[in-house]
mmCIF file of all heavy atoms in Angstrom:
data_model
loop_
_atom_site.group_PDB
_atom_site.id
_atom_site.type_symbol
_atom_site.label_atom_id
_atom_site.label_comp_id
_atom_site.label_asym_id
_atom_site.label_seq_id
_atom_site.Cartn_x
_atom_site.Cartn_y
_atom_site.Cartn_z
ATOM 1 N N GLU B 57 22.280 -12.148 18.812
ATOM 2 C CA GLU B 57 22.517 -10.647 18.811
ATOM 3 C C GLU B 57 23.023 -10.196 17.327
ATOM 4 O O GLU B 57 23.964 -10.653 16.847
ATOM 5 C CB GLU B 57 23.512 -10.316 19.707
ATOM 6 C CG GLU B 57 23.011 -10.359 21.205
ATOM 7 C CD GLU B 57 24.066 -9.946 22.183
ATOM 8 O OE1 GLU B 57 24.286 -8.797 22.393
ATOM 9 O OE2 GLU B 57 24.776 -10.822 22.779
ATOM 10 N N PHE B 58 22.201 -9.358 16.760
ATOM 11 C CA PHE B 58 22.479 -9.003 15.441
ATOM 12 C C PHE B 58 21.799 -7.545 15.175
ATOM 13 O O PHE B 58 20.596 -7.342 15.444
ATOM 14 C CB PHE B 58 21.997 -9.999 14.327
ATOM 15 C CG PHE B 58 21.959 -9.528 12.984
ATOM 16 C CD1 PHE B 58 23.212 -9.667 12.312
ATOM 17 C CD2 PHE B 58 20.908 -9.008 12.321
ATOM 18 C CE1 PHE B 58 23.326 -9.169 10.976
ATOM 19 C CE2 PHE B 58 21.040 -8.629 10.968
ATOM 20 C CZ PHE B 58 22.198 -8.725 10.323
ATOM 21 N N ILE B 59 22.526 -6.693 14.617
ATOM 22 C CA ILE B 59 21.999 -5.459 14.216
ATOM 23 C C ILE B 59 22.259 -5.204 12.700
ATOM 24 O O ILE B 59 23.412 -5.260 12.348
ATOM 25 C CB ILE B 59 22.648 -4.246 15.040
ATOM 26 C CG1 ILE B 59 22.157 -4.350 16.517
ATOM 27 C CG2 ILE B 59 22.144 -2.934 14.472
ATOM 28 C CD1 ILE B 59 22.701 -3.325 17.412
ATOM 29 N N HIS B 60 21.122 -4.903 12.047
ATOM 30 C CA HIS B 60 21.189 -4.742 10.599
ATOM 31 C C HIS B 60 21.884 -3.410 10.275
ATOM 32 O O HIS B 60 21.741 -2.428 10.909
ATOM 33 C CB HIS B 60 19.879 -4.892 10.009
ATOM 34 C CG HIS B 60 19.965 -4.546 8.470
ATOM 35 N ND1 HIS B 60 19.582 -3.284 7.950
ATOM 36 C CD2 HIS B 60 20.293 -5.399 7.400
ATOM 37 C CE1 HIS B 60 19.618 -3.432 6.625
ATOM 38 N NE2 HIS B 60 20.038 -4.614 6.353
ATOM 39 N N GLU B 61 22.707 -3.434 9.219
ATOM 40 C CA GLU B 61 23.379 -2.202 8.794
ATOM 41 C C GLU B 61 22.947 -2.003 7.309
ATOM 42 O O GLU B 61 22.988 -2.849 6.429
ATOM 43 C CB GLU B 61 24.955 -2.370 8.794
ATOM 44 C CG GLU B 61 25.507 -2.552 10.191
ATOM 45 C CD GLU B 61 26.891 -2.855 10.131
ATOM 46 O OE1 GLU B 61 27.793 -2.029 10.173
ATOM 47 O OE2 GLU B 61 27.226 -4.038 10.119
ATOM 48 N N GLY B 62 22.451 -0.745 6.977
ATOM 49 C CA GLY B 62 21.884 -0.441 5.743
ATOM 50 C C GLY B 62 22.984 -0.186 4.675
ATOM 51 O O GLY B 62 24.071 0.124 5.040
ATOM 52 N N PRO B 63 22.527 -0.297 3.508
ATOM 53 C CA PRO B 63 23.534 -0.025 2.285
ATOM 54 C C PRO B 63 23.864 1.451 2.288
ATOM 55 O O PRO B 63 23.028 2.280 2.657
ATOM 56 C CB PRO B 63 22.781 -0.421 1.129
ATOM 57 C CG PRO B 63 21.410 -0.600 1.473
ATOM 58 C CD PRO B 63 21.256 -0.774 2.965
ATOM 59 N N ARG B 64 25.024 1.771 1.761
ATOM 60 C CA ARG B 64 25.465 3.188 1.536
ATOM 61 C C ARG B 64 25.712 3.233 -0.022
ATOM 62 O O ARG B 64 26.571 2.503 -0.593
ATOM 63 C CB ARG B 64 26.730 3.551 2.186
ATOM 64 C CG ARG B 64 26.618 3.677 3.688
ATOM 65 C CD ARG B 64 25.757 4.823 4.164
ATOM 66 N NE ARG B 64 26.168 6.037 3.647
ATOM 67 C CZ ARG B 64 25.569 7.211 3.843
ATOM 68 N NH1 ARG B 64 24.360 7.205 4.432
ATOM 69 N NH2 ARG B 64 25.975 8.406 3.494
ATOM 70 N N LEU B 65 24.722 3.890 -0.747
ATOM 71 C CA LEU B 65 24.777 3.735 -2.214
ATOM 72 C C LEU B 65 25.614 4.944 -2.715
ATOM 73 O O LEU B 65 26.339 5.664 -2.064
ATOM 74 C CB LEU B 65 23.360 3.782 -2.690
ATOM 75 C CG LEU B 65 22.538 2.598 -2.044
ATOM 76 C CD1 LEU B 65 21.104 2.750 -2.490
ATOM 77 C CD2 LEU B 65 22.995 1.263 -2.364
ATOM 78 N N ASP B 66 25.443 5.120 -4.094
ATOM 79 C CA ASP B 66 26.208 6.120 -4.843
ATOM 80 C C ASP B 66 25.976 7.620 -4.150
ATOM 81 O O ASP B 66 24.856 7.931 -3.796
ATOM 82 C CB ASP B 66 25.753 6.195 -6.233
ATOM 83 C CG ASP B 66 26.485 7.171 -7.179
ATOM 84 O OD1 ASP B 66 26.549 8.315 -6.746
ATOM 85 O OD2 ASP B 66 27.006 6.639 -8.087
ATOM 86 N N PRO B 67 27.039 8.391 -3.915
ATOM 87 C CA PRO B 67 26.883 9.680 -3.268
ATOM 88 C C PRO B 67 25.800 10.586 -3.922
ATOM 89 O O PRO B 67 25.262 11.461 -3.332
ATOM 90 C CB PRO B 67 28.209 10.240 -3.331
ATOM 91 C CG PRO B 67 29.223 9.105 -3.601
ATOM 92 C CD PRO B 67 28.338 8.066 -4.228
ATOM 93 N N LYS B 68 25.503 10.297 -5.174
ATOM 94 C CA LYS B 68 24.562 11.143 -5.864
ATOM 95 C C LYS B 68 23.088 10.970 -5.261
ATOM 96 O O LYS B 68 22.230 11.699 -5.357
ATOM 97 C CB LYS B 68 24.392 10.716 -7.316
ATOM 98 C CG LYS B 68 25.550 10.964 -8.159
ATOM 99 C CD LYS B 68 25.341 10.795 -9.696
ATOM 100 C CE LYS B 68 26.587 10.583 -10.455
ATOM 101 N NZ LYS B 68 27.152 9.228 -10.218
ATOM 102 N N LEU B 69 22.989 9.865 -4.427
ATOM 103 C CA LEU B 69 21.736 9.635 -3.722
ATOM 104 C C LEU B 69 21.793 10.068 -2.294
ATOM 105 O O LEU B 69 20.905 9.780 -1.555
ATOM 106 C CB LEU B 69 21.370 8.132 -3.763
ATOM 107 C CG LEU B 69 21.185 7.629 -5.136
ATOM 108 C CD1 LEU B 69 20.959 6.102 -5.209
ATOM 109 C CD2 LEU B 69 20.047 8.312 -5.987
ATOM 110 N N ALA B 70 22.898 10.709 -1.910
ATOM 111 C CA ALA B 70 23.140 11.019 -0.467
ATOM 112 C C ALA B 70 21.954 11.732 0.112
ATOM 113 O O ALA B 70 21.526 11.568 1.307
ATOM 114 C CB ALA B 70 24.324 11.819 -0.254
ATOM 115 N N HIS B 71 21.308 12.683 -0.636
ATOM 116 C CA HIS B 71 20.309 13.477 -0.117
ATOM 117 C C HIS B 71 19.016 12.678 0.188
ATOM 118 O O HIS B 71 18.231 13.177 1.039
ATOM 119 C CB HIS B 71 19.945 14.659 -1.039
ATOM 120 C CG HIS B 71 19.421 14.268 -2.374
ATOM 121 N ND1 HIS B 71 20.019 13.588 -3.185
ATOM 122 C CD2 HIS B 71 18.226 14.516 -2.932
ATOM 123 C CE1 HIS B 71 19.453 13.270 -4.356
ATOM 124 N NE2 HIS B 71 18.232 13.910 -4.134
ATOM 125 N N ILE B 72 18.849 11.559 -0.382
ATOM 126 C CA ILE B 72 17.625 10.691 -0.064
ATOM 127 C C ILE B 72 18.071 9.259 0.354
ATOM 128 O O ILE B 72 17.294 8.394 0.167
ATOM 129 C CB ILE B 72 16.618 10.650 -1.307
ATOM 130 C CG1 ILE B 72 17.303 10.291 -2.541
ATOM 131 C CG2 ILE B 72 15.936 11.998 -1.459
ATOM 132 C CD1 ILE B 72 16.404 9.961 -3.660
ATOM 133 N N MET B 73 19.304 9.320 0.900
ATOM 134 C CA MET B 73 19.810 7.896 1.219
ATOM 135 C C MET B 73 18.910 7.077 2.031
ATOM 136 O O MET B 73 18.729 5.931 1.827
ATOM 137 C CB MET B 73 21.250 7.988 1.823
ATOM 138 C CG MET B 73 21.960 6.677 1.858
ATOM 139 S SD MET B 73 22.318 5.934 0.222
ATOM 140 C CE MET B 73 23.683 7.027 -0.332
ATOM 141 N N PRO B 74 18.366 7.659 3.107
ATOM 142 C CA PRO B 74 17.540 6.750 4.064
ATOM 143 C C PRO B 74 16.362 6.215 3.274
ATOM 144 O O PRO B 74 15.915 5.055 3.615
ATOM 145 C CB PRO B 74 17.102 7.756 4.994
ATOM 146 C CG PRO B 74 18.036 8.873 5.044
ATOM 147 C CD PRO B 74 18.577 9.025 3.645
ATOM 148 N N GLU B 75 15.890 6.809 2.261
ATOM 149 C CA GLU B 75 14.728 6.397 1.593
ATOM 150 C C GLU B 75 15.112 5.307 0.486
ATOM 151 O O GLU B 75 14.461 4.190 0.456
ATOM 152 C CB GLU B 75 13.954 7.605 0.820
ATOM 153 C CG GLU B 75 12.699 7.118 0.151
ATOM 154 C CD GLU B 75 12.229 8.118 -0.741
ATOM 155 O OE1 GLU B 75 12.595 9.338 -0.704
ATOM 156 O OE2 GLU B 75 11.306 7.851 -1.521
ATOM 157 N N VAL B 76 16.088 5.508 -0.176
ATOM 158 C CA VAL B 76 16.509 4.586 -1.326
ATOM 159 C C VAL B 76 17.146 3.279 -0.656
ATOM 160 O O VAL B 76 17.167 2.288 -1.307
ATOM 161 C CB VAL B 76 17.332 5.210 -2.381
ATOM 162 C CG1 VAL B 76 16.550 6.154 -3.261
ATOM 163 C CG2 VAL B 76 18.556 5.909 -1.825
ATOM 164 N N ALA B 77 17.911 3.562 0.383
ATOM 165 C CA ALA B 77 18.592 2.394 0.939
ATOM 166 C C ALA B 77 17.739 1.772 2.113
ATOM 167 O O ALA B 77 18.315 1.610 3.236
ATOM 168 C CB ALA B 77 19.957 2.890 1.451
ATOM 169 N N SER B 78 16.503 1.609 1.922
ATOM 170 C CA SER B 78 15.607 1.348 3.053
ATOM 171 C C SER B 78 15.248 -0.163 3.147
ATOM 172 O O SER B 78 14.405 -0.480 3.917
ATOM 173 C CB SER B 78 14.410 2.126 2.837
ATOM 174 O OG SER B 78 13.733 1.784 1.620
ATOM 175 N N MET B 79 16.027 -1.022 2.480
ATOM 176 C CA MET B 79 15.658 -2.413 2.548
ATOM 177 C C MET B 79 17.042 -3.270 2.619
ATOM 178 O O MET B 79 18.003 -2.731 2.583
ATOM 179 C CB MET B 79 14.859 -2.808 1.255
ATOM 180 C CG MET B 79 13.365 -2.289 1.358
ATOM 181 S SD MET B 79 12.489 -2.628 -0.174
ATOM 182 C CE MET B 79 13.183 -1.586 -1.390
ATOM 183 N N GLY B 80 16.739 -4.540 2.996
ATOM 184 C CA GLY B 80 17.939 -5.369 3.106
ATOM 185 C C GLY B 80 17.865 -6.221 4.449
ATOM 186 O O GLY B 80 18.566 -7.163 4.504
ATOM 187 N N ALA B 81 17.032 -5.735 5.426
ATOM 188 C CA ALA B 81 16.949 -6.686 6.534
ATOM 189 C C ALA B 81 15.950 -7.761 6.270
ATOM 190 O O ALA B 81 14.774 -7.533 6.044
ATOM 191 C CB ALA B 81 16.447 -5.770 7.775
ATOM 192 N N ALA B 82 16.500 -9.003 6.339
ATOM 193 C CA ALA B 82 15.610 -10.050 5.922
ATOM 194 C C ALA B 82 15.906 -11.263 7.009
ATOM 195 O O ALA B 82 17.015 -11.340 7.619
ATOM 196 C CB ALA B 82 16.069 -10.545 4.540
ATOM 197 N N VAL B 83 15.019 -12.143 7.083
ATOM 198 C CA VAL B 83 15.231 -13.218 7.928
ATOM 199 C C VAL B 83 14.420 -14.552 7.385
ATOM 200 O O VAL B 83 13.326 -14.476 6.918
ATOM 201 C CB VAL B 83 14.664 -12.947 9.362
ATOM 202 C CG1 VAL B 83 13.186 -12.525 9.489
ATOM 203 C CG2 VAL B 83 14.910 -14.178 10.346
ATOM 204 N N SER B 84 15.161 -15.610 7.448
ATOM 205 C CA SER B 84 14.573 -16.925 6.931
ATOM 206 C C SER B 84 14.903 -17.952 7.986
ATOM 207 O O SER B 84 15.879 -17.938 8.625
ATOM 208 C CB SER B 84 15.178 -17.279 5.662
ATOM 209 O OG SER B 84 14.920 -16.430 4.638
ATOM 210 N N VAL B 85 13.870 -18.865 8.097
ATOM 211 C CA VAL B 85 14.066 -19.906 9.011
ATOM 212 C C VAL B 85 14.368 -21.242 8.218
ATOM 213 O O VAL B 85 13.556 -21.497 7.233
ATOM 214 C CB VAL B 85 12.750 -20.155 9.890
ATOM 215 C CG1 VAL B 85 12.884 -21.377 10.817
ATOM 216 C CG2 VAL B 85 12.415 -18.896 10.685
ATOM 217 N N THR B 86 15.336 -21.896 8.581
ATOM 218 C CA THR B 86 15.668 -23.098 7.726
ATOM 219 C C THR B 86 16.390 -24.118 8.703
ATOM 220 O O THR B 86 16.945 -23.753 9.701
ATOM 221 C CB THR B 86 16.664 -22.713 6.730
ATOM 222 O OG1 THR B 86 17.130 -23.924 5.944
ATOM 223 C CG2 THR B 86 17.923 -22.115 7.166
ATOM 224 N N ASP B 87 16.314 -25.290 8.320
ATOM 225 C CA ASP B 87 16.987 -26.427 9.037
ATOM 226 C C ASP B 87 18.241 -26.818 8.346
ATOM 227 O O ASP B 87 18.145 -27.855 7.606
ATOM 228 C CB ASP B 87 16.125 -27.458 9.469
ATOM 229 C CG ASP B 87 16.837 -28.619 10.216
ATOM 230 O OD1 ASP B 87 17.921 -28.346 10.712
ATOM 231 O OD2 ASP B 87 16.212 -29.686 10.443
ATOM 232 N N PHE B 88 19.285 -25.977 8.255
ATOM 233 C CA PHE B 88 20.411 -26.171 7.337
ATOM 234 C C PHE B 88 21.131 -27.534 7.574
ATOM 235 O O PHE B 88 21.744 -28.143 6.628
ATOM 236 C CB PHE B 88 21.344 -24.987 7.292
ATOM 237 C CG PHE B 88 22.287 -24.979 8.410
ATOM 238 C CD1 PHE B 88 23.549 -25.584 8.267
ATOM 239 C CD2 PHE B 88 21.984 -24.418 9.677
ATOM 240 C CE1 PHE B 88 24.472 -25.557 9.358
ATOM 241 C CE2 PHE B 88 22.943 -24.387 10.720
ATOM 242 C CZ PHE B 88 24.142 -24.974 10.595
ATOM 243 N N ASP B 89 21.148 -28.009 8.890
ATOM 244 C CA ASP B 89 21.958 -29.111 9.174
ATOM 245 C C ASP B 89 21.017 -30.417 9.263
ATOM 246 O O ASP B 89 21.604 -31.472 9.837
ATOM 247 C CB ASP B 89 22.864 -28.892 10.429
ATOM 248 C CG ASP B 89 22.013 -28.312 11.503
ATOM 249 O OD1 ASP B 89 20.808 -28.206 11.363
ATOM 250 O OD2 ASP B 89 22.636 -28.070 12.687
ATOM 251 N N ALA B 90 19.781 -30.172 8.972
ATOM 252 C CA ALA B 90 18.828 -31.281 9.037
ATOM 253 C C ALA B 90 18.760 -32.084 10.301
ATOM 254 O O ALA B 90 18.754 -33.297 10.348
ATOM 255 C CB ALA B 90 19.172 -32.248 7.784
ATOM 256 N N ASP B 91 18.961 -31.274 11.459
ATOM 257 C CA ASP B 91 18.924 -31.994 12.727
ATOM 258 C C ASP B 91 17.581 -31.890 13.334
ATOM 259 O O ASP B 91 17.267 -32.274 14.527
ATOM 260 C CB ASP B 91 19.906 -31.329 13.695
ATOM 261 C CG ASP B 91 19.637 -29.863 13.960
ATOM 262 O OD1 ASP B 91 18.694 -29.252 13.341
ATOM 263 O OD2 ASP B 91 20.339 -29.251 14.832
ATOM 264 N N GLY B 92 16.621 -31.416 12.566
ATOM 265 C CA GLY B 92 15.282 -31.254 13.019
ATOM 266 C C GLY B 92 14.979 -30.024 13.822
ATOM 267 O O GLY B 92 13.754 -29.794 14.288
ATOM 268 N N LEU B 93 15.859 -29.170 14.068
ATOM 269 C CA LEU B 93 15.789 -27.957 14.762
ATOM 270 C C LEU B 93 15.851 -26.752 13.794
ATOM 271 O O LEU B 93 16.787 -26.581 13.022
ATOM 272 C CB LEU B 93 16.786 -27.798 15.775
ATOM 273 C CG LEU B 93 16.765 -28.798 16.920
ATOM 274 C CD1 LEU B 93 18.044 -28.817 17.754
ATOM 275 C CD2 LEU B 93 15.527 -28.742 17.796
ATOM 276 N N PRO B 94 14.826 -25.853 13.838
ATOM 277 C CA PRO B 94 14.932 -24.732 12.869
ATOM 278 C C PRO B 94 16.033 -23.761 13.235
ATOM 279 O O PRO B 94 16.270 -23.360 14.413
ATOM 280 C CB PRO B 94 13.568 -24.051 12.948
ATOM 281 C CG PRO B 94 12.983 -24.510 14.246
ATOM 282 C CD PRO B 94 13.686 -25.877 14.639
ATOM 283 N N ASP B 95 16.800 -23.363 12.260
ATOM 284 C CA ASP B 95 17.789 -22.338 12.431
ATOM 285 C C ASP B 95 17.513 -21.010 11.819
ATOM 286 O O ASP B 95 16.447 -20.973 11.096
ATOM 287 C CB ASP B 95 19.206 -22.883 11.825
ATOM 288 C CG ASP B 95 19.503 -24.375 12.265
ATOM 289 O OD1 ASP B 95 19.586 -24.539 13.515
ATOM 290 O OD2 ASP B 95 19.507 -25.261 11.365
ATOM 291 N N VAL B 96 18.359 -20.068 11.872
ATOM 292 C CA VAL B 96 17.903 -18.638 11.537
ATOM 293 C C VAL B 96 18.973 -18.058 10.738
ATOM 294 O O VAL B 96 20.157 -17.947 11.103
ATOM 295 C CB VAL B 96 17.567 -17.781 12.618
ATOM 296 C CG1 VAL B 96 17.207 -16.403 12.298
ATOM 297 C CG2 VAL B 96 16.540 -18.362 13.604
ATOM 298 N N TYR B 97 18.663 -17.597 9.474
ATOM 299 C CA TYR B 97 19.671 -16.908 8.613
ATOM 300 C C TYR B 97 19.230 -15.361 8.499
ATOM 301 O O TYR B 97 18.027 -15.197 8.060
ATOM 302 C CB TYR B 97 19.744 -17.628 7.243
ATOM 303 C CG TYR B 97 20.889 -16.949 6.535
ATOM 304 C CD1 TYR B 97 22.276 -17.126 6.865
ATOM 305 C CD2 TYR B 97 20.550 -16.378 5.177
ATOM 306 C CE1 TYR B 97 23.273 -16.615 6.027
ATOM 307 C CE2 TYR B 97 21.633 -15.842 4.497
ATOM 308 C CZ TYR B 97 22.973 -16.010 4.911
ATOM 309 O OH TYR B 97 23.958 -15.544 4.020
ATOM 310 N N VAL B 98 20.020 -14.411 8.740
ATOM 311 C CA VAL B 98 19.646 -13.051 8.511
ATOM 312 C C VAL B 98 20.678 -12.329 7.717
ATOM 313 O O VAL B 98 21.863 -12.705 7.649
ATOM 314 C CB VAL B 98 19.708 -12.341 9.917
ATOM 315 C CG1 VAL B 98 18.420 -12.769 10.798
ATOM 316 C CG2 VAL B 98 20.932 -12.479 10.765
ATOM 317 N N THR B 99 20.227 -11.436 6.889
ATOM 318 C CA THR B 99 21.056 -10.625 5.986
ATOM 319 C C THR B 99 21.450 -9.345 6.472
ATOM 320 O O THR B 99 20.742 -8.786 7.336
ATOM 321 C CB THR B 99 20.392 -10.496 4.641
ATOM 322 O OG1 THR B 99 19.115 -9.884 4.789
ATOM 323 C CG2 THR B 99 20.047 -11.919 3.945
ATOM 324 N N ASN B 100 22.618 -8.950 5.976
ATOM 325 C CA ASN B 100 23.145 -7.556 6.338
ATOM 326 C C ASN B 100 23.295 -6.844 4.971
ATOM 327 O O ASN B 100 23.421 -7.472 3.979
ATOM 328 C CB ASN B 100 24.404 -7.740 7.061
ATOM 329 C CG ASN B 100 24.518 -6.644 8.077
ATOM 330 O OD1 ASN B 100 23.842 -5.605 7.956
ATOM 331 N ND2 ASN B 100 25.345 -6.938 9.219
ATOM 332 N N SER B 101 23.441 -5.560 5.116
ATOM 333 C CA SER B 101 23.353 -4.837 3.731
ATOM 334 C C SER B 101 24.386 -3.732 3.604
ATOM 335 O O SER B 101 24.379 -3.025 2.495
ATOM 336 C CB SER B 101 21.985 -4.309 3.489
ATOM 337 O OG SER B 101 21.070 -5.227 3.748
ATOM 338 N N ARG B 102 25.279 -3.549 4.496
ATOM 339 C CA ARG B 102 26.341 -2.551 4.290
ATOM 340 C C ARG B 102 27.376 -3.401 3.544
ATOM 341 O O ARG B 102 27.717 -4.410 3.890
ATOM 342 C CB ARG B 102 26.829 -1.967 5.753
ATOM 343 C CG ARG B 102 28.016 -1.036 5.532
ATOM 344 C CD ARG B 102 28.347 -0.503 6.877
ATOM 345 N NE ARG B 102 28.985 -1.515 7.769
ATOM 346 C CZ ARG B 102 30.166 -2.153 7.709
ATOM 347 N NH1 ARG B 102 30.968 -1.719 6.687
ATOM 348 N NH2 ARG B 102 30.482 -3.029 8.537
ATOM 349 N N MET B 103 28.120 -2.523 2.693
ATOM 350 C CA MET B 103 29.290 -3.283 2.104
ATOM 351 C C MET B 103 30.318 -3.654 3.055
ATOM 352 O O MET B 103 30.761 -2.845 3.821
ATOM 353 C CB MET B 103 29.904 -2.269 0.996
ATOM 354 C CG MET B 103 30.422 -2.845 -0.205
ATOM 355 S SD MET B 103 29.385 -3.754 -1.165
ATOM 356 C CE MET B 103 28.876 -2.524 -2.357
ATOM 357 N N GLY B 104 30.686 -4.937 2.986
ATOM 358 C CA GLY B 104 31.601 -5.478 3.962
ATOM 359 C C GLY B 104 31.023 -6.034 5.281
ATOM 360 O O GLY B 104 31.692 -6.669 6.069
#
Side-chain angles (χ1 to χ4, degrees):
Chain B
E57 286 181 84
F58 172 81
I59 294 180
H60 175 261
E61 297 171 89
R64 295 290 303 171
L65 308 174
D66 190 301
K68 295 188 200 73
L69 301 173
H71 63 299
I72 50 170
M73 192 64 76
E75 183 189 348
V76 288
S78 59
M79 292 178 282
V83 57
S84 293
V85 179
T86 178
D87 181 9
F88 79 92
D89 51 2
D91 63 355
L93 300 169
D95 312 301
V96 179
Y97 187 67
V98 289
T99 58
N100 218 334
S101 312
R102 181 181 59 78
M103 209 63 91

